[in-house]
């Protein structure tokens, strides 16, 4: 009996090489718990603004000198036009990815409290949120914020800039300003957005325990 693998690695979309720096699994677990418990992040919303949350965490990891990437997973129907989809009716999902040196080899673990209660290897993470085979996952540099909808290829992704930094903060407060509802919410949440930005900047000094030693 053939076993259907729910998710497949897309080497074409991936763009990371062998990392020069790694962290330990214990450190990765501490990072997961730190972000899971932090009040700035709401992990319970299924339409959770994953791009903004992933980028916020990666920006903080870079601030703290921790190597980081992003893990992306796409439903097969969305990426390649054939059968395959993700849970929550997502077309795609993204989360921070950290390289971990474990038993003499480098493994990639995903920090994603939105979909799991603990660390997961990237392939396990992608498989767990796949509703219908196949999905396709990849690992990319963390400066890529989002992909161009009409051309999901290796290059020409949208990198961090002033506009998507605004989107990042809006995602943390639960606003998608690209929708009509989100645009309306922006008008009534200016103070909340300002406070969220201040809280995010403050987080840069709220390092997980192992960085304070």
């Amino acid at each position: 009996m053939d076993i259907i693998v729910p998710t497949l690695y897309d080497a074409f979309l991936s763009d990371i090489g062998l990392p020069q720096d790694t962290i330990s699994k214990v450190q990765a677990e501490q990072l997961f718990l730190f972000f899971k418990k932090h009040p700035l992040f709401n992990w319970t919303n299924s339409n959770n603004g994953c791009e903004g949350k992933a980028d916020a965490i990666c920006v903080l990891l870079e601030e703290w000198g921790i190597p980081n990437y992003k893990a992306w997973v796409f439903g097969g129907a969305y990426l390649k036009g054939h059968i395959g989809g993700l849970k929550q009716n997502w077309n795609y999902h993204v989360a921070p990815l950290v390289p971990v040196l474990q038993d003499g080899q480098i493994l990639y673990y995903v920090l994603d409290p939105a979909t799991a209660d603990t660390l997961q290897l990237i392939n396990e993470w992608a498989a767990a949120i796949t509703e219908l085979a196949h999905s396709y996952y990849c690992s990319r540099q963390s400066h890529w914020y989002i992909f161009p909808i009409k051309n999901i290829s290796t290059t020409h992704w949208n990198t961090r800039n002033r506009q998507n930094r605004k989107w990042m903060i809006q995602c943390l407060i639960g606003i998608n300003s690209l929708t009509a509802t989100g645009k309306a919410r922006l008008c009534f949440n200016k103070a909340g957005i300002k406070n969220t930005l201040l809280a995010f900047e403050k987080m840069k000094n709220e390092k997980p325990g192992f960085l304070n030693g």
Side-chain angles (χ1 to χ4, degrees):
M1 180 178 178
D2 294 333
I3 298 176
I4 298 176
V5 178
T7 190
L8 302 170
Y9 180 64
D10 193 317
F12 178 74
L13 286 180
S14 299
D15 70 349
I16 69 172
L18 190 66
Q20 296 182 346
D21 299 309
T22 59
I23 61 175
S24 69
K25 188 177 181 184
V26 170
Q27 290 171 332
E29 289 170 340
Q30 289 184 32
L31 288 172
F32 181 92
L33 290 175
F34 175 83
F35 289 114
K36 179 182 179 181
K37 295 178 179 179
H38 200 284
L40 188 59
F41 293 87
N42 176 9
W43 301 109
T44 61
N45 185 357
S46 62
N47 297 312
N48 66 341
C50 59
E51 307 97 329
K53 290 183 175 67
D55 204 51
I57 290 176
C58 287
V59 168
L60 290 167
L61 294 178
E62 289 178 11
E63 180 75 16
W64 300 333
I66 297 174
N68 64 92
Y69 307 98
K70 287 178 182 173
W72 294 80
V73 59
F74 297 88
Y78 182 72
L79 182 67
K80 297 181 180 291
H82 59 63
I83 194 170
L86 306 180
K87 296 179 180 178
Q88 306 285 1
N89 291 318
W90 290 336
N91 289 320
Y92 65 93
H93 187 54
V94 57
L97 184 70
V98 290
V100 170
L101 184 61
Q102 184 177 350
D103 298 327
Q105 59 180 330
I106 297 175
L107 303 176
Y108 292 90
Y109 282 93
V110 179
L111 309 176
D112 189 18
T115 61
D117 291 326
T118 187
L119 283 175
Q120 290 179 301
L121 291 167
I122 185 172
N123 60 307
E124 295 173 348
W125 167 80
I129 57 179
T130 299
E131 183 74 34
L132 180 66
H134 293 95
S135 68
Y136 296 85
Y137 69 94
C138 62
S139 47
R140 290 184 61 80
Q141 299 290 330
S142 61
H143 66 83
W144 298 117
Y145 185 87
I146 192 63
F147 51 87
I149 299 299
K150 295 182 180 180
N151 183 25
I152 307 176
S153 62
T154 305
T155 58
H156 304 116
W157 284 44
N158 299 317
T159 192
R160 291 184 186 128
N161 56 33
R162 183 177 298 179
Q163 179 58 61
N164 57 44
R165 179 56 60 91
K166 292 180 181 178
W167 293 341
M168 181 193 81
I169 298 299
Q170 292 164 9
C171 282
L172 292 178
I173 201 174
I175 295 176
N176 180 358
S177 63
L178 299 181
T179 66
T181 302
K183 290 178 181 178
R185 289 187 63 194
L186 283 180
C187 297
F188 299 99
N189 285 274
K190 292 181 179 179
I193 291 171
K194 181 179 179 180
N195 291 336
T196 300
L197 177 58
L198 292 174
F200 176 73
E201 292 300 321
K202 183 180 178 181
M203 272 195 73
K204 293 179 179 179
N205 297 318
E206 299 175 8
K207 299 177 182 179
F210 71 88
L211 291 172
N212 294 317

